[in-house]
Amino acid sequence: MKLNEVINTTGLSRSSIYAYMSKGNFPKPIQLGPRAVAWIEEEVHKWLCDKISQRG
């Protein structure tokens, strides 16, 4: 998933995604090229499911 897809899927802003990643609380992207990254869709969806289950 490219960044815009991750933003639309999670509802998080770009800065929030990178802040969560820096704290180890969000999946890290994979490097596609020198200036391109993408997230693995299953990892992002698992993160969302984990957040939902924490809601209680």
Side-chain angles (χ1 to χ4, degrees), residues 24-43:
N25 296 328
F26 195 81
K28 296 204 184 286
I30 56 171
Q31 195 76 37
L32 298 177
R35 295 174 48 114
V37 297
W39 283 259
I40 298 171
E41 187 173 5
E42 292 82 14
E43 292 179 358

Side-chain angles (χ1 to χ4, degrees), residues 1-3 6-7 12 15 21 23-26 28 36-37 40-41 44-45 51 54 56:
M1 300 174 76
K2 300 296 280 187
L3 181 58
V6 176
I7 290 169
L12 297 171
S15 59
M21 282 182 0
K23 295 176 184 173
N25 296 328
F26 195 81
K28 296 204 184 286
V37 297
I40 298 171
E41 187 173 5
V44 174
H45 285 290
K51 284 293 187 188
Q54 290 173 4

Side-chain angles (χ1 to χ4, degrees), residues 9-10 44-56:
T9 300
T10 62
V44 174
H45 285 290
K46 182 184 179 320
W47 180 86
L48 277 173
C49 289
D50 290 347
K51 284 293 187 188
I52 292 168
S53 68
Q54 290 173 4
R55 182 174 64 173

